[in-house]
Amino acid sequence: MGIFVKEFLKTKGFKMTPQRELIFRSFFEMGEHVSVDELYDKVRQEDSSVGYATVWRNLKLICKVGLAEEVNIGDGITRYDRVTRVPHGHLFCTSCKTVTEITVEQLVGLLSQTAKTRGFVPESFKIEVQGVCKECRGAAGEKDKSGASAGG
Amino acid sequence: MGIFVKEFLKTKGFKMTPQRELIFRSFFEMGEHVSVDELYDKVRQEDSSVGYATVWRNLKLICKVGLAEEVNIGDGITRYDRVTRVPHGHLFCTSCKTVTEITVEQLVGLLSQTAKTRGFVPESFKIEVQGVCKECRGAAGEKDKSGASAGG
DNA sequence: CACTAAATGAAAACGATTTTCATTTTCAAA
DNA sequence: TTTGAAAATGAAAATCGTTTTCATTTAGTG
């Protein structure tokens, strides 16, 4: 973390603060699928004066600069994943609600030879691809609407 | 729609009402990725006395009986897709926010020979598989927590 | 027709997210 | 080191999609 992220943010016009440092570090110490509340709890173990909005804003910032992205599993809570640049999928158990990560290779195996390796019985799946469509590439220059961009 | 769905619902203990008939019919007349608000608007074009909660409850019911499932693209709005039993993916343009459907075959083509067929430049993607994990299949009997079950 | 359970509509409650605003802090420039 | 503008913070309130409540109406069985 430290100096690298600080310089990285500086080049984008953002300033470094103790809270931000703590929030960023905490986020990257955690696993995947981190919710705002979870990060908030962890951050406050170290500094209980940090506000919820600050944690939330910095989580958004982490996404904005492309270091993480939102994941939505349908339970109404937005979670955040580090951008690993290694495509992977998630196994959501519809019973116990756990989330397990698998690689695309594992996914292919999972779907083709059901329940062999992982004992996970797939019921349905979704594939979502983020990107820019032909029209938008043609138009060029509509990008600054929400600021955030999905890394990948 | 008509009599088939009515009988189908009856066997599950649900009653048919004019509102329900209208809501179900409207939903299946619409495309995919339908939000509550969109369905509400369409329903009220035909009967403006139907309440929002009724539309919402019936959309949930459609999911509950396995005719549709929730889709979450990360904009905070839950959308609903008919269950087609044909696995497919979604292309989300990060610029204009449009959603395009593609088959898994098209997806593979898309990812391997970028931007050839559709002109869509993929930036990242997510794969989500709904199912039941080994532990839960072993445990057996925790299923009636939320009622709804993903079809597929 | 009569009865019971389900369904409805309006409004309120809920809860995660997002914004507001007064204050504090960072950081580049003087 | 001091200064000033822009950014960041914390607390609280606002927002907004979702869900529940409740009194009333309706569907479907007998």
Side-chain angles (χ1 to χ4, degrees):
Chain A
M1 280 299 306
I3 195 65
F4 301 110
V5 169
K6 180 172 178 178
E7 291 307 315
F8 175 63
L9 288 177
K10 204 183 288 185
T11 65
K12 303 216 172 199
F14 301 109
K15 295 171 179 175
M16 183 50 71
T17 66
Q19 294 94 331
R20 175 159 295 166
E21 153 75 24
L22 171 57
I23 293 167
F24 271 60
R25 181 161 49 74
S26 297
F27 177 72
F28 289 105
E29 281 173 14
M30 298 179 79
E32 305 245 334
H33 330 305
V34 177
S35 68
V36 182
D37 285 8
E38 288 164 356
L39 182 55
Y40 176 68
D41 287 345
K42 181 168 173 75
V43 163
R44 284 177 70 98
Q45 284 172 17
E46 207 160 315
D47 179 354
S48 64
S49 71
V50 179
Y52 186 91
T54 300
V55 173
W56 178 81
R57 279 185 289 237
N58 275 287
L59 210 28
K60 285 287 183 182
L61 179 62
I62 292 173
C63 291
K64 196 170 198 170
V65 299
L67 296 176
E69 61 182 8
E70 299 189 348
V71 177
N72 225 305
I73 70 174
D75 63 354
I77 297 174
T78 304
R79 292 162 204 286
Y80 298 81
D81 266 18
R82 271 174 278 168
V83 170
T84 61
R85 298 190 181 282
V86 177
H88 65 276
H90 298 146
L91 299 181
F92 300 122
C93 176
T94 55
S95 178
C96 67
K97 317 298 181 194
T98 55
V99 182
T100 310
E101 290 198 3
I102 59 172
T103 64
V104 172
E105 288 70 33
Q106 289 174 317
L107 180 73
V108 171
L110 174 74
L111 294 176
S112 54
Q113 49 160 331
T114 297
K116 283 287 170 53
T117 323
R118 291 187 159 261
F120 187 94
V121 178
E123 293 174 346
S124 68
F125 62 92
K126 300 173 191 166
I127 299 175
E128 302 178 359
V129 184
Q130 317 282 333
V132 181
C133 67
K134 185 153 52 180
E135 287 68 28
C136 288
R137 282 193 304 123
E142 288 241 62
K143 297 286 284 189
D144 53 321
K145 280 176 180 168
S146 68
S149 71
Chain B
M1 279 300 304
I3 194 65
F4 302 111
V5 169
K6 180 173 178 178
E7 291 305 316
F8 175 64
L9 288 177
K10 203 183 289 185
T11 65
K12 304 217 170 197
F14 301 109
K15 296 172 179 175
M16 183 48 72
T17 66
Q19 294 94 331
R20 175 160 294 167
E21 154 73 26
L22 171 57
I23 293 168
F24 271 59
R25 180 161 50 73
S26 296
F27 177 72
F28 289 104
E29 281 172 13
M30 297 179 78
E32 305 245 336
H33 330 305
V34 177
S35 68
V36 182
D37 285 8
E38 287 165 356
L39 181 56
Y40 175 68
D41 287 346
K42 181 169 173 72
V43 163
R44 284 177 70 98
Q45 284 172 17
E46 207 160 314
D47 179 353
S48 64
S49 70
V50 179
Y52 186 90
T54 299
V55 172
W56 178 81
R57 279 185 289 236
N58 275 287
L59 210 28
K60 286 286 182 181
L61 179 62
I62 292 173
C63 291
K64 197 170 197 169
V65 299
L67 296 176
E69 61 182 8
E70 299 190 346
V71 177
N72 225 306
I73 71 174
D75 63 354
I77 297 173
T78 304
R79 294 162 203 286
Y80 298 82
D81 266 17
R82 272 175 277 168
V83 170
T84 60
R85 299 190 180 281
V86 177
H88 64 277
H90 298 146
L91 299 181
F92 299 121
C93 177
T94 53
S95 177
C96 67
K97 316 299 181 194
T98 55
V99 182
T100 310
E101 289 199 4
I102 59 172
T103 65
V104 172
E105 289 69 34
Q106 289 174 316
L107 180 72
V108 172
L110 174 74
L111 294 176
S112 54
Q113 50 160 328
T114 297
K116 283 286 170 53
T117 323
R118 291 187 159 263
F120 187 94
V121 179
E123 294 174 346
S124 68
F125 61 93
K126 299 174 190 166
I127 298 175
E128 301 179 358
V129 184
Q130 317 282 332
V132 181
C133 66
K134 185 155 52 179
E135 287 69 27
C136 288
R137 281 192 304 124
E142 288 241 62
K143 298 287 284 192
D144 52 322
K145 279 176 179 167
S146 68
S149 70

